[in-house]
Amino acid sequence: MTKHADEIQERNYLVLCLQAIGEQREEAVQREQSLQNNVISLKETFWDDVRINFDTFSDIEETYLTMKQQAELLSGSEVVQQHIVKSIQVYDRLQQSPYFARIDFLPQNQQEPLQVYIGVANLFDEKQDDILIYDWRAPIASMYYDHTPGPAHYETPTEQIQGDMLLKRQFIIKNGQLQAMFNTGLTIGDDLLRNILAQNADEHIRSIVATIQAEQNKIIRHVQTPHLIVEGVAGSGKTAVALQRIAYLLYHYRNQITADQIVLITPNQLFNQYVNAVLPDLGEDNMQQLTFSDYANQRLGRQFQLEYPYEQLESLLSEKDDTRYQTKLHAITFKASHAYRQLLDQYLGYLSKQGLLFKNIVFRGERIITAQEITKYFYSLDTAISIPNRLQFVKEWLLQCLTAIEKAERHKEWVEEESDLLETEEYTKTYSELLQEGRFAEDTFDDFEQERRTLAKQIVQKQFMPLRRSVTQLKFVHLLGIYRQFFTHQHAGSLPPQWEEICHYTQNNLTKRLIAYEDIAPLIYLQDKIEGQRTNTTIRHVLVDEAQDYSPFQLYVLQQLFPYARMTILGDGHQTIHPHTFHNPSLLAPELYGEQVAKMVLTRSYRSTKQIIHFTSKILKTEATIEAFNRNGTEPTITVVTNEDDLITQQVERVNSLTSQFDTIAIICKTAEECQRAYDKLHPYLEVQLVTSTTKQLKKGILLLPVYMAKGLEFDAVLLFNASNTTYSRETERNYFYTACTRAMHKLHIYAIDTLTHLIPQ
């Protein structure tokens, strides 16, 4: 067939698909409108169709069943309506670009090849009883990503299908128009990928299922082990692949797992917004998103002031005194270690026999149950019973004590004073209750006394309610005191040389009720071991992005929280910025997961130009295998100036020259403190957005942000605000500096005052 005839055939097929999409969309719109009318009608007539009768037990039962049936009918109609609305959204996307590829596959022992068109969703032609478009997640579609023309195969749930791929073709279709088509051989067309990568950055991550590479496809479709580690260099597409993996799992296990049973652990809320559009673009609902700090805040935030991870980094990166810096660093790394967890376990063994601390229970300024009494009762219980179970016995005992004390309080003078101050409404309410209970008899004259007793009971009950709630929530356990005591306890075994300094530093924080970021996971662990494990058994899959910045201790907490979840762990050891993994294995270490784990490595970077990748790879001290995708650009520039005024002048000129070419230009500083200083200098000349830890969404334009807020993001052009040797002086900041440089897609410009950082090789 000639090239011209080929193109005519493809255009005809596109018309066929668009016609089918249009017809099916119209049918869906009509069904949705009919259902909507039905739902409105059901809501309007809900009570008309329900017979309310409470005369007898059978009448009550019949009334309940009628209401239940009506509610289920209404709920079912709304669910179907939502499903149709979702399918209309898929049709809208298909109308823009129905498919992006075609493969012709001849299975063994068959005469006619299958023509498989691949898009973001299935399209079935009921008239012809034929599949017009296959979802990219379908088993047969995997050949497009994994094979070149020639012998090929794909896996079904039951067998492997062998055969020959006769054709592999790509399409560029926009607004329903065929703009280009070309056959491809060795890989998914570099021309198409290069064209997409050359585009400007967006405020949301892009999910390009048309250009998934073979090594990425293996990650997306991996289901053999419960844990999968993906270590990928900067710009290798880890996050996009992870989200496409979720879309695949929702498709592959569509009768077993839903989006709300998947949780993505992200570094910050800004990152959440950055990835928010991917799954809806792929036709799936968004999963839950959570930061470790969010979870910690739910657990501990009401009782203590918690340090956020960026506050820890800011404090460490801004620290000028080397002694204080080293103390903080030692505290952070040791508290993230397995050795620290063992130390806590030994301490818990001690607490099982003695030393557990409780709070006094106070009512109206008086101790009604002392901490000593609670301690005595707790340790009177059998030590063979676990601490959490013994605390349940203590809780029941305390509630009984409160009941007895509450009864005694009703006769005290303060209760009568409170009743005298009650509003008329309260009296009326009490009288009505007594009347309803039949407590007023015609032949007695003690109505006033009964009223007084009832009011007293109500007043005391109301006052004791917060105490009962606190006891039920185990607030009588002195968690802060128990953790503070840990740093004065005589521990057996070896301790780090800096233990005394770590204890002093930690106790200063705890005295202020400040829980440093490195103490959060250990404190949650300690609380769970004392009060009982909190778990979420509904979650079936957990993704952890930027996993190199989580400690083994944090992993253990997550595994305890989600005991039935499989995990996908993504990160890059070269981008480690949080110090707790400097001397500990990060979540990228397979040994943390036992035997049921697979690890895959992505070495090819697609984000940056070849010149930027070659430059940034030299910053790393260790040997790193980083392959640059063949996309050329200009060399990164280095500009050294003598003072800050020259620095501002040069950067304003540079930014003004870049704004006509690019949508997102990031000026990256080392810390938030430096960002604020830079903003004060730059904003009179540039319309710049200062990005902070409270920023919820990125806008296109000129952004000013610290490195740790830029992590995981990408920008058309990056300016490093001040890469001087005084700014980036410590060896521990090498990965931090590398992370800043690798945010650039097309242009990288580095500035320094006086002397360039030694982290850039001469």
Side-chain angles (χ1 to χ4, degrees), residues 46 50-54 57-72:
F46 185 92
V50 176
R51 276 182 49 223
I52 306 295
N53 190 344
F54 296 120
F57 178 78
S58 60
D59 290 333
I60 294 171
E61 189 174 33
E62 185 181 348
T63 299
Y64 169 75
L65 288 172
T66 308
M67 290 175 67
K68 187 169 181 282
Q69 286 169 357
Q70 285 293 101
E72 286 174 351

Side-chain angles (χ1 to χ4, degrees), residues 120 135-138 207 209 212 220-221 239-254 257 259 262 278-285 287 543:
V120 295
D135 191 297
W136 66 277
R137 296 164 290 185
S207 172
V209 293
I212 293 170
I220 291 167
R221 296 173 188 261
T239 302
V241 166
L243 296 169
Q244 287 157 344
R245 172 168 167 74
I246 289 304
Y248 173 76
L249 293 174
L250 289 170
Y251 178 88
H252 189 74
Y253 297 110
R254 51 190 172 276
I257 189 170
I262 300 172
V278 175
L279 284 174
D281 278 352
L282 295 173
E284 299 291 351
D285 293 331
M287 62 196 147
L543 282 92

